[in-house]
Amino acid sequence: MRHKPVRPVARVPRRLPNEFYPTPPEATRALLSVERFDGDIWEPACGDGRIAKVLAEHGHTVVATDLHPYGHGETGVDFLRQTTPRAKHIVTNPPYGWGLADRFVVRALELTAKTGGKVAMLLNMASLAHRQRTAWWCANPPARLYAVDDIVCWPEDRYGPAPHHFTKHRYVWAVWTHGHNGPSAFWWLSGAEFRAPRPKSLTKHFNQRRLP
């Protein structure tokens, strides 16, 4: 009996290099089921293109950049140093460590203030209840928050299955719209519902759920 060779995987470090935790496609499909983006989109931490490719598949013009080379988009672009918007909207899963996600959100809001576009960030749910962030959230509330269940942001092709403790992370899409005031709306999305690409017959239903 012949056995298929097992592809070797790299040893898993405590934190992955460059905070590379790619977004499963169902997370982006879930976002697009409830949000409309009426213009081009900048994905400034594109990695290997997991978010950018889904956006493009749904008909969006995407500008994909990253500081590090992962085989997709323009590399060597430090988003935190950018002063000119490259698209109307910004959608990304930012790096989390060392306060990077906070700085990504602030820079994205500064850049989209010039375009009137939305900012959508996939964040760890724990960031919503962090004592050092509470005052900032209250001063800069997203228009909408979408909790997405049953997704794992992990490069399985590089390191094999995600460690058990990592699968317990929970994620939320935070969506800012300029001009929003008051509390954030909150809703729930199922990762499993969007795990497979939707057939064309369901496109109309898919679009009806979107918000302006």
Side-chain angles (χ1 to χ4, degrees), residues 25-77:
E26 58 266 28
T28 307
R29 294 185 192 122
L31 173 69
L32 294 177
S33 76
V34 289
E35 288 289 332
R36 179 182 293 111
F37 296 92
D38 61 344
D40 50 1
I41 301 173
W42 184 5
E43 214 295 38
C46 69
D48 58 4
R50 310 279 179 110
I51 290 178
K53 290 174 183 176
V54 174
L55 294 174
E57 288 169 1
H58 284 76
H60 293 288
T61 299
V62 183
V63 178
T65 65
D66 202 304
L67 180 60
H68 306 285
Y70 284 99
H72 189 87
E74 180 183 352
T75 59
V77 179

Side-chain angles (χ1 to χ4, degrees), residues 8-27:
V9 295
R11 180 178 178 274
V12 179
R14 191 177 69 86
R15 292 197 73 93
L16 300 189
N18 307 320
E19 295 293 292
F20 179 61
Y21 297 95
T23 307
E26 58 266 28

Side-chain angles (χ1 to χ4, degrees), residues 79-80 100-112 119 121 136 140 176:
F79 178 66
L80 297 177
L100 284 171
D102 302 318
R103 295 166 63 194
F104 259 68
V105 172
V106 171
R107 180 48 54 94
L109 291 173
E110 292 171 348
L111 290 167
T112 54
V119 172
M121 296 274 175
W136 188 91
N140 303 275
W176 285 266

Side-chain angles (χ1 to χ4, degrees), residues 16 28 44 47 52 70 80-81 87-89 91 101 126 128 143 146 155 166 168 172 177 183 190 194 197 207:
L16 300 189
T28 307
Y70 284 99
L80 297 177
R81 294 179 178 271
K88 181 176 181 179
H89 308 284
V91 177
L128 298 181
Y146 302 104
F166 196 88
K168 296 181 180 180
V172 58
T177 58
S190 168
F194 299 95
N207 291 339

